[in-house]
mmCIF file of all heavy atoms in Angstrom:
data_model
loop_
_atom_site.group_PDB
_atom_site.id
_atom_site.type_symbol
_atom_site.label_atom_id
_atom_site.label_comp_id
_atom_site.label_asym_id
_atom_site.label_seq_id
_atom_site.Cartn_x
_atom_site.Cartn_y
_atom_site.Cartn_z
ATOM 1 N N HIS Z 112 -17.724 48.272 -36.363
ATOM 2 C CA HIS Z 112 -16.646 47.758 -37.214
ATOM 3 C C HIS Z 112 -16.749 46.238 -37.296
ATOM 4 O O HIS Z 112 -16.986 45.578 -36.279
ATOM 5 C CB HIS Z 112 -15.297 48.170 -36.585
ATOM 6 C CG HIS Z 112 -14.093 47.625 -37.283
ATOM 7 N ND1 HIS Z 112 -13.092 46.958 -36.608
ATOM 8 C CD2 HIS Z 112 -13.720 47.659 -38.589
ATOM 9 C CE1 HIS Z 112 -12.139 46.618 -37.475
ATOM 10 N NE2 HIS Z 112 -12.499 47.025 -38.676
ATOM 11 N N CYS Z 113 -16.612 45.719 -38.508
ATOM 12 C CA CYS Z 113 -16.681 44.274 -38.736
ATOM 13 C C CYS Z 113 -15.374 43.803 -39.373
ATOM 14 O O CYS Z 113 -14.931 44.381 -40.372
ATOM 15 C CB CYS Z 113 -17.870 43.977 -39.662
ATOM 16 S SG CYS Z 113 -17.959 42.270 -40.243
ATOM 17 N N VAL Z 114 -14.767 42.770 -38.793
ATOM 18 C CA VAL Z 114 -13.563 42.175 -39.374
ATOM 19 C C VAL Z 114 -13.991 40.903 -40.094
ATOM 20 O O VAL Z 114 -14.677 40.055 -39.501
ATOM 21 C CB VAL Z 114 -12.510 41.842 -38.287
ATOM 22 C CG1 VAL Z 114 -11.270 41.216 -38.919
ATOM 23 C CG2 VAL Z 114 -12.143 43.088 -37.494
ATOM 24 N N ALA Z 115 -13.610 40.789 -41.363
ATOM 25 C CA ALA Z 115 -14.068 39.637 -42.149
ATOM 26 C C ALA Z 115 -12.911 38.994 -42.903
ATOM 27 O O ALA Z 115 -11.903 39.641 -43.217
ATOM 28 C CB ALA Z 115 -15.153 40.082 -43.134
ATOM 29 N N ALA Z 116 -13.103 37.707 -43.193
ATOM 30 C CA ALA Z 116 -12.080 36.917 -43.885
ATOM 31 C C ALA Z 116 -12.015 37.299 -45.362
ATOM 32 O O ALA Z 116 -13.045 37.501 -46.007
ATOM 33 C CB ALA Z 116 -12.417 35.433 -43.756
ATOM 34 N N ARG Z 117 -10.791 37.361 -45.879
ATOM 35 C CA ARG Z 117 -10.608 37.643 -47.308
ATOM 36 C C ARG Z 117 -11.153 36.487 -48.144
ATOM 37 O O ARG Z 117 -11.858 36.701 -49.130
ATOM 38 C CB ARG Z 117 -9.122 37.838 -47.605
ATOM 39 C CG ARG Z 117 -8.820 38.016 -49.088
ATOM 40 C CD ARG Z 117 -7.366 38.405 -49.327
ATOM 41 N NE ARG Z 117 -7.093 39.688 -48.704
ATOM 42 C CZ ARG Z 117 -6.092 39.939 -47.860
ATOM 43 N NH1 ARG Z 117 -5.246 38.982 -47.552
ATOM 44 N NH2 ARG Z 117 -5.935 41.126 -47.329
ATOM 45 N N ALA Z 118 -10.825 35.268 -47.755
ATOM 46 C CA ALA Z 118 -11.280 34.106 -48.509
ATOM 47 C C ALA Z 118 -12.722 33.810 -48.114
ATOM 48 O O ALA Z 118 -12.997 33.416 -46.981
ATOM 49 C CB ALA Z 118 -10.398 32.900 -48.200
ATOM 50 N N ALA Z 119 -13.645 34.056 -49.034
ATOM 51 C CA ALA Z 119 -15.064 33.858 -48.733
ATOM 52 C C ALA Z 119 -15.851 33.735 -50.028
ATOM 53 O O ALA Z 119 -15.380 34.124 -51.101
ATOM 54 C CB ALA Z 119 -15.610 35.031 -47.914
ATOM 55 N N PHE Z 120 -17.045 33.213 -49.897
ATOM 56 C CA PHE Z 120 -17.985 33.125 -51.016
ATOM 57 C C PHE Z 120 -18.201 34.540 -51.591
ATOM 58 O O PHE Z 120 -18.254 35.504 -50.843
ATOM 59 C CB PHE Z 120 -19.292 32.531 -50.484
ATOM 60 C CG PHE Z 120 -20.370 32.377 -51.504
ATOM 61 C CD1 PHE Z 120 -20.168 31.628 -52.652
ATOM 62 C CD2 PHE Z 120 -21.608 32.962 -51.309
ATOM 63 C CE1 PHE Z 120 -21.175 31.480 -53.585
ATOM 64 C CE2 PHE Z 120 -22.626 32.809 -52.237
ATOM 65 C CZ PHE Z 120 -22.404 32.071 -53.380
ATOM 66 N N GLY Z 121 -18.335 34.643 -52.916
ATOM 67 C CA GLY Z 121 -18.423 35.942 -53.580
ATOM 68 C C GLY Z 121 -19.490 36.861 -53.005
ATOM 69 O O GLY Z 121 -19.248 38.051 -52.766
ATOM 70 N N SER Z 122 -20.684 36.331 -52.739
ATOM 71 C CA SER Z 122 -21.754 37.180 -52.219
ATOM 72 C C SER Z 122 -21.499 37.589 -50.761
ATOM 73 O O SER Z 122 -21.922 38.668 -50.336
ATOM 74 C CB SER Z 122 -23.106 36.476 -52.330
ATOM 75 O OG SER Z 122 -23.443 36.314 -53.692
ATOM 76 N N CYS Z 123 -20.823 36.729 -50.004
ATOM 77 C CA CYS Z 123 -20.466 37.100 -48.624
ATOM 78 C C CYS Z 123 -19.494 38.277 -48.658
ATOM 79 O O CYS Z 123 -19.599 39.222 -47.870
ATOM 80 C CB CYS Z 123 -19.842 35.919 -47.877
ATOM 81 S SG CYS Z 123 -21.020 34.588 -47.580
ATOM 82 N N ARG Z 124 -18.549 38.234 -49.604
ATOM 83 C CA ARG Z 124 -17.621 39.360 -49.749
ATOM 84 C C ARG Z 124 -18.371 40.611 -50.218
ATOM 85 O O ARG Z 124 -18.039 41.726 -49.807
ATOM 86 C CB ARG Z 124 -16.496 39.000 -50.733
ATOM 87 C CG ARG Z 124 -15.366 38.199 -50.108
ATOM 88 C CD ARG Z 124 -14.592 39.007 -49.056
ATOM 89 N NE ARG Z 124 -14.014 40.238 -49.589
ATOM 90 C CZ ARG Z 124 -12.806 40.342 -50.118
ATOM 91 N NH1 ARG Z 124 -12.016 39.282 -50.163
ATOM 92 N NH2 ARG Z 124 -12.365 41.484 -50.590
ATOM 93 N N TRP Z 125 -19.380 40.436 -51.040
ATOM 94 C CA TRP Z 125 -20.165 41.591 -51.496
ATOM 95 C C TRP Z 125 -20.844 42.279 -50.307
ATOM 96 O O TRP Z 125 -20.886 43.503 -50.215
ATOM 97 C CB TRP Z 125 -21.214 41.159 -52.529
ATOM 98 C CG TRP Z 125 -21.953 42.319 -53.124
ATOM 99 C CD1 TRP Z 125 -21.588 43.059 -54.212
ATOM 100 C CD2 TRP Z 125 -23.183 42.888 -52.636
ATOM 101 N NE1 TRP Z 125 -22.512 44.065 -54.420
ATOM 102 C CE2 TRP Z 125 -23.493 43.990 -53.484
ATOM 103 C CE3 TRP Z 125 -24.034 42.603 -51.575
ATOM 104 C CZ2 TRP Z 125 -24.630 44.782 -53.296
ATOM 105 C CZ3 TRP Z 125 -25.172 43.400 -51.381
ATOM 106 C CH2 TRP Z 125 -25.461 44.472 -52.245
ATOM 107 N N LEU Z 126 -21.364 41.476 -49.387
ATOM 108 C CA LEU Z 126 -21.986 42.056 -48.189
ATOM 109 C C LEU Z 126 -20.990 42.931 -47.445
ATOM 110 O O LEU Z 126 -21.313 44.046 -47.023
ATOM 111 C CB LEU Z 126 -22.463 40.960 -47.223
ATOM 112 C CG LEU Z 126 -23.591 40.037 -47.644
ATOM 113 C CD1 LEU Z 126 -23.911 39.064 -46.511
ATOM 114 C CD2 LEU Z 126 -24.840 40.838 -48.004
ATOM 115 N N VAL Z 127 -19.778 42.390 -47.269
ATOM 116 C CA VAL Z 127 -18.769 43.094 -46.472
ATOM 117 C C VAL Z 127 -18.203 44.286 -47.244
ATOM 118 O O VAL Z 127 -18.037 45.367 -46.687
ATOM 119 C CB VAL Z 127 -17.640 42.110 -46.082
ATOM 120 C CG1 VAL Z 127 -16.501 42.844 -45.389
ATOM 121 C CG2 VAL Z 127 -18.191 41.004 -45.183
ATOM 122 N N ASP Z 128 -17.931 44.098 -48.531
ATOM 123 C CA ASP Z 128 -17.268 45.153 -49.305
ATOM 124 C C ASP Z 128 -18.234 46.242 -49.771
ATOM 125 O O ASP Z 128 -17.833 47.386 -49.932
ATOM 126 C CB ASP Z 128 -16.589 44.545 -50.549
ATOM 127 C CG ASP Z 128 -15.470 43.583 -50.180
ATOM 128 O OD1 ASP Z 128 -15.011 43.629 -49.031
ATOM 129 O OD2 ASP Z 128 -15.066 42.781 -51.051
ATOM 130 N N ASN Z 129 -19.479 45.879 -50.032
ATOM 131 C CA ASN Z 129 -20.417 46.845 -50.618
ATOM 132 C C ASN Z 129 -21.591 47.218 -49.728
ATOM 133 O O ASN Z 129 -21.924 48.387 -49.603
ATOM 134 C CB ASN Z 129 -20.956 46.302 -51.947
ATOM 135 C CG ASN Z 129 -19.843 46.143 -52.966
ATOM 136 O OD1 ASN Z 129 -19.365 47.110 -53.523
ATOM 137 N ND2 ASN Z 129 -19.403 44.913 -53.167
ATOM 138 N N LEU Z 130 -22.241 46.231 -49.138
ATOM 139 C CA LEU Z 130 -23.469 46.538 -48.392
ATOM 140 C C LEU Z 130 -23.185 47.228 -47.058
ATOM 141 O O LEU Z 130 -23.753 48.287 -46.766
ATOM 142 C CB LEU Z 130 -24.280 45.260 -48.163
ATOM 143 C CG LEU Z 130 -25.664 45.512 -47.560
ATOM 144 C CD1 LEU Z 130 -26.575 46.194 -48.579
ATOM 145 C CD2 LEU Z 130 -26.307 44.222 -47.079
ATOM 146 N N LEU Z 131 -22.332 46.634 -46.229
ATOM 147 C CA LEU Z 131 -22.094 47.195 -44.888
ATOM 148 C C LEU Z 131 -21.602 48.648 -44.953
ATOM 149 O O LEU Z 131 -22.129 49.503 -44.234
ATOM 150 C CB LEU Z 131 -21.137 46.304 -44.084
ATOM 151 C CG LEU Z 131 -21.622 44.876 -43.787
ATOM 152 C CD1 LEU Z 131 -20.625 44.138 -42.887
ATOM 153 C CD2 LEU Z 131 -23.003 44.863 -43.145
ATOM 154 N N PRO Z 132 -20.618 48.961 -45.828
ATOM 155 C CA PRO Z 132 -20.153 50.356 -45.886
ATOM 156 C C PRO Z 132 -21.264 51.346 -46.254
ATOM 157 O O PRO Z 132 -21.252 52.489 -45.818
ATOM 158 C CB PRO Z 132 -19.062 50.331 -46.968
ATOM 159 C CG PRO Z 132 -18.578 48.921 -46.965
ATOM 160 C CD PRO Z 132 -19.786 48.081 -46.663
ATOM 161 N N ARG Z 133 -22.256 50.878 -47.038
ATOM 162 C CA ARG Z 133 -23.354 51.779 -47.407
ATOM 163 C C ARG Z 133 -24.155 52.228 -46.210
ATOM 164 O O ARG Z 133 -24.852 53.233 -46.245
ATOM 165 C CB ARG Z 133 -24.286 51.079 -48.404
ATOM 166 C CG ARG Z 133 -23.924 51.406 -49.827
ATOM 167 C CD ARG Z 133 -24.631 50.594 -50.849
ATOM 168 N NE ARG Z 133 -26.037 50.373 -50.623
ATOM 169 C CZ ARG Z 133 -26.736 49.428 -51.265
ATOM 170 N NH1 ARG Z 133 -26.131 48.653 -52.135
ATOM 171 N NH2 ARG Z 133 -28.025 49.289 -51.027
ATOM 172 N N PHE Z 134 -24.100 51.435 -45.139
ATOM 173 C CA PHE Z 134 -24.842 51.784 -43.923
ATOM 174 C C PHE Z 134 -23.919 52.348 -42.840
ATOM 175 O O PHE Z 134 -24.274 52.357 -41.665
ATOM 176 C CB PHE Z 134 -25.621 50.571 -43.410
ATOM 177 C CG PHE Z 134 -26.691 50.129 -44.369
ATOM 178 C CD1 PHE Z 134 -26.504 49.045 -45.194
ATOM 179 C CD2 PHE Z 134 -27.869 50.849 -44.482
ATOM 180 C CE1 PHE Z 134 -27.472 48.654 -46.110
ATOM 181 C CE2 PHE Z 134 -28.850 50.478 -45.387
ATOM 182 C CZ PHE Z 134 -28.648 49.378 -46.204
ATOM 183 N N GLY Z 135 -22.730 52.769 -43.256
ATOM 184 C CA GLY Z 135 -21.815 53.410 -42.295
ATOM 185 C C GLY Z 135 -21.115 52.426 -41.381
ATOM 186 O O GLY Z 135 -20.625 52.805 -40.314
ATOM 187 N N ILE Z 136 -21.073 51.151 -41.795
ATOM 188 C CA ILE Z 136 -20.381 50.145 -40.980
ATOM 189 C C ILE Z 136 -18.981 49.961 -41.573
ATOM 190 O O ILE Z 136 -18.842 49.690 -42.765
ATOM 191 C CB ILE Z 136 -21.171 48.815 -40.976
ATOM 192 C CG1 ILE Z 136 -22.550 49.040 -40.355
ATOM 193 C CG2 ILE Z 136 -20.392 47.729 -40.225
ATOM 194 C CD1 ILE Z 136 -23.601 48.055 -40.801
ATOM 195 N N GLU Z 137 -17.978 50.125 -40.717
ATOM 196 C CA GLU Z 137 -16.588 50.000 -41.146
ATOM 197 C C GLU Z 137 -16.240 48.522 -41.304
ATOM 198 O O GLU Z 137 -16.674 47.701 -40.486
ATOM 199 C CB GLU Z 137 -15.725 50.517 -39.997
ATOM 200 C CG GLU Z 137 -14.918 51.753 -40.239
ATOM 201 C CD GLU Z 137 -13.991 51.955 -39.045
ATOM 202 O OE1 GLU Z 137 -14.500 52.263 -37.939
ATOM 203 O OE2 GLU Z 137 -12.790 51.788 -39.224
ATOM 204 N N THR Z 138 -15.424 48.192 -42.306
ATOM 205 C CA THR Z 138 -15.030 46.790 -42.466
ATOM 206 C C THR Z 138 -13.521 46.684 -42.690
ATOM 207 O O THR Z 138 -12.917 47.586 -43.274
ATOM 208 C CB THR Z 138 -15.752 46.123 -43.654
ATOM 209 O OG1 THR Z 138 -15.398 46.817 -44.855
ATOM 210 C CG2 THR Z 138 -17.255 46.145 -43.491
ATOM 211 N N THR Z 139 -12.946 45.605 -42.207
ATOM 212 C CA THR Z 139 -11.537 45.306 -42.477
ATOM 213 C C THR Z 139 -11.455 43.872 -42.968
ATOM 214 O O THR Z 139 -12.022 42.968 -42.342
ATOM 215 C CB THR Z 139 -10.676 45.442 -41.195
ATOM 216 O OG1 THR Z 139 -10.820 46.774 -40.690
ATOM 217 C CG2 THR Z 139 -9.202 45.164 -41.488
ATOM 218 N N ILE Z 140 -10.798 43.675 -44.096
ATOM 219 C CA ILE Z 140 -10.610 42.335 -44.669
ATOM 220 C C ILE Z 140 -9.217 41.834 -44.284
ATOM 221 O O ILE Z 140 -8.229 42.553 -44.452
ATOM 222 C CB ILE Z 140 -10.733 42.404 -46.211
ATOM 223 C CG1 ILE Z 140 -12.161 42.786 -46.623
ATOM 224 C CG2 ILE Z 140 -10.298 41.101 -46.847
ATOM 225 C CD1 ILE Z 140 -13.191 41.726 -46.365
#
Side-chain angles (χ1 to χ4, degrees):
H112 175 231
C113 172
V114 180
R117 175 172 297 127
F120 180 57
S122 294
C123 292
R124 278 294 302 270
W125 186 88
L126 294 182
V127 174
D128 296 343
N129 297 285
L130 188 70
L131 298 185
R133 266 170 43 196
F134 295 102
I136 298 155
E137 245 188 291
T138 61
T139 302
I140 294 290

